[in-house]
mmCIF file of all heavy atoms in Angstrom:
data_model
loop_
_atom_site.group_PDB
_atom_site.id
_atom_site.type_symbol
_atom_site.label_atom_id
_atom_site.label_comp_id
_atom_site.label_asym_id
_atom_site.label_seq_id
_atom_site.Cartn_x
_atom_site.Cartn_y
_atom_site.Cartn_z
ATOM 1 N N TRP N 1576 132.813 104.488 123.288
ATOM 2 C CA TRP N 1576 133.387 104.918 124.559
ATOM 3 C C TRP N 1576 132.282 105.406 125.495
ATOM 4 O O TRP N 1576 132.266 105.060 126.679
ATOM 5 C CB TRP N 1576 134.396 106.048 124.345
ATOM 6 C CG TRP N 1576 135.615 105.694 123.567
ATOM 7 C CD1 TRP N 1576 136.039 104.444 123.203
ATOM 8 C CD2 TRP N 1576 136.579 106.615 123.054
ATOM 9 N NE1 TRP N 1576 137.211 104.531 122.492
ATOM 10 C CE2 TRP N 1576 137.568 105.850 122.390
ATOM 11 C CE3 TRP N 1576 136.709 108.005 123.078
ATOM 12 C CZ2 TRP N 1576 138.660 106.439 121.758
ATOM 13 C CZ3 TRP N 1576 137.796 108.597 122.454
ATOM 14 C CH2 TRP N 1576 138.764 107.814 121.803
ATOM 15 N N LYS N 1814 137.307 142.869 97.439
ATOM 16 C CA LYS N 1814 138.637 142.675 96.858
ATOM 17 C C LYS N 1814 139.705 143.288 97.756
ATOM 18 O O LYS N 1814 140.759 142.680 97.999
ATOM 19 C CB LYS N 1814 138.695 143.284 95.450
ATOM 20 C CG LYS N 1814 137.878 142.521 94.409
ATOM 21 C CD LYS N 1814 138.007 143.166 93.033
ATOM 22 C CE LYS N 1814 137.259 142.366 91.969
ATOM 23 N NZ LYS N 1814 137.388 142.984 90.614
ATOM 24 N N TYR N 1830 137.287 130.432 102.973
ATOM 25 C CA TYR N 1830 136.219 129.438 103.042
ATOM 26 C C TYR N 1830 135.585 129.244 101.671
ATOM 27 O O TYR N 1830 135.353 130.214 100.949
ATOM 28 C CB TYR N 1830 135.165 129.911 104.051
ATOM 29 C CG TYR N 1830 133.946 129.032 104.179
ATOM 30 C CD1 TYR N 1830 134.066 127.665 104.435
ATOM 31 C CD2 TYR N 1830 132.665 129.566 104.056
ATOM 32 C CE1 TYR N 1830 132.938 126.863 104.568
ATOM 33 C CE2 TYR N 1830 131.536 128.769 104.205
ATOM 34 C CZ TYR N 1830 131.681 127.422 104.449
ATOM 35 O OH TYR N 1830 130.564 126.619 104.582
#
Side-chain angles (χ1 to χ4, degrees):
W1576 295 349
K1814 290 181 177 180
Y1830 176 53

